[in-house]
Amino acid sequence: MGASKTAHFTQKQNEIAALMKALGHPARVAIIDYLLTVDTCICGDIVNELPLAQPTVSQHLKELKNAGLIKGSIEGNAICYCIDEETFSKFQNFLSEVFGKIKVQKNNCC
Amino acid sequence: MGASKTAHFTQKQNEIAALMKALGHPARVAIIDYLLTVDTCICGDIVNELPLAQPTVSQHLKELKNAGLIKGSIEGNAICYCIDEETFSKFQNFLSEVFGKIKVQKNNCC
DNA sequence: TTTTAATATTGCAATATTACGATAAAGATT
DNA sequence: AATCTTTATCGTAATATTGCAATATTAAAA
């Protein structure tokens, strides 16, 4: 098939999977990395930072934007991108839950 | 194309992306969820918990195993699965870094 | 030893993803 | 206005993913 049966899972599971999927490509991890290192918004500089053609980078940026992980605002003929803290916060909350549960697990048999 | 240009990114970026990708499907998130709720290893029970056919579940388990997120040990004619804490720990460390950097970012313009 | 039960593998169809050249769109510059 | 710059979109090829039926594998049970 190739299409995920999203309807059969909880909304939360689908949400988390979507966030994970958005970060499930090294180029998109690299974009986030870069946005973090520059420590501010970036207006038209991302393409030069990545070893990929401009349309490909644009596509990756679109996916990060769709996932809510970054925000973009038009600044003249360039576009400013930055991390969307709110979504990352949501992400972090989920992960805290998961890691919290892992720590409680004591009776491992594997 | 369809193949990621992994060679052009750092090892860390590729590693993180691989972990994220492994969790980038609701079925695999559901499997982790389930392993966490039962609070112990599970021997032969995962297929019944998911709305997917047995070969499909087996495939998802294989991917989680390849990513190092779960461990499986043979227990008679069943197989015990549980969370691999070490990999999750690695995962958590990366995320702490990211979230740490986000908090430092003050001069947001978006 | 035959059967049963649990999991894995194979093969395949449907769909999604990745990447990029060509082109479009839109604001800035001349 | 004509051009340049920056980003987006379209079209398309190559590859990957998802899902399942059929089948294989392996160990327990009868």
Side-chain angles (χ1 to χ4, degrees):
Chain A
M1 299 241 166
S4 300
K5 290 183 136 189
T6 54
H8 297 155
F9 300 98
T10 70
Q11 200 195 333
K12 193 170 182 182
Q13 286 166 345
N14 285 316
E15 273 180 39
I16 295 303
L19 287 174
M20 294 283 187
K21 194 175 181 181
L23 289 173
H25 190 290
R28 295 194 289 269
V29 172
I31 289 170
I32 297 296
D33 265 359
Y34 183 57
L35 286 176
L36 287 171
T37 57
V38 293
D39 216 43
T40 176
C41 296
I42 279 303
C43 305
D45 204 13
I46 296 180
V47 170
N48 301 324
E49 285 295 318
L50 294 182
L52 295 170
Q54 179 269 323
T56 310
V57 174
S58 185
Q59 202 171 285
H60 283 306
L61 287 167
K62 191 179 178 184
E63 272 175 75
L64 286 171
K65 208 171 165 186
N66 284 343
L69 289 163
I70 64 174
K71 288 184 287 189
S73 57
I74 298 167
E75 201 80 17
N77 67 339
I79 293 193
C80 279
Y81 281 110
C82 65
I83 301 282
D84 188 326
E85 296 182 43
E86 208 174 322
T87 309
F88 267 88
S89 185
K90 190 185 203 174
F91 201 12
Q92 190 173 26
N93 287 342
F94 160 74
L95 291 162
S96 301
E97 266 183 59
V98 170
F99 292 126
K101 281 182 194 164
I102 289 174
K103 280 190 182 147
V104 174
Q105 282 195 323
K106 291 293 178 193
N107 43 344
N108 275 341
C109 58
C110 302
Chain B
M1 301 247 168
S4 300
K5 289 183 138 188
T6 53
H8 298 154
F9 300 98
T10 70
Q11 199 195 331
K12 194 170 181 183
Q13 285 166 346
N14 284 317
E15 273 180 40
I16 296 303
L19 286 174
M20 293 284 188
K21 193 176 181 181
L23 288 173
H25 190 290
R28 296 194 288 268
V29 172
I31 289 170
I32 297 296
D33 265 0
Y34 183 56
L35 286 175
L36 287 172
T37 57
V38 293
D39 216 42
T40 177
C41 296
I42 279 303
C43 305
D45 205 14
I46 296 181
V47 171
N48 301 324
E49 283 296 318
L50 294 182
L52 295 170
Q54 180 268 323
T56 308
V57 175
S58 184
Q59 201 171 286
H60 284 305
L61 287 167
K62 192 179 178 183
E63 273 175 75
L64 286 171
K65 209 171 164 186
N66 284 342
L69 289 164
I70 64 174
K71 287 184 286 188
S73 56
I74 299 166
E75 201 81 17
N77 65 341
I79 292 194
C80 279
Y81 281 110
C82 64
I83 301 283
D84 188 325
E85 295 182 45
E86 209 173 321
T87 309
F88 267 89
S89 186
K90 190 183 203 175
F91 201 11
Q92 189 173 26
N93 287 341
F94 160 74
L95 291 162
S96 302
E97 267 183 58
V98 171
F99 293 125
K101 283 182 194 163
I102 290 174
K103 281 192 181 146
V104 174
Q105 283 195 320
K106 291 293 177 195
N107 42 346
N108 275 340
C109 57
C110 303

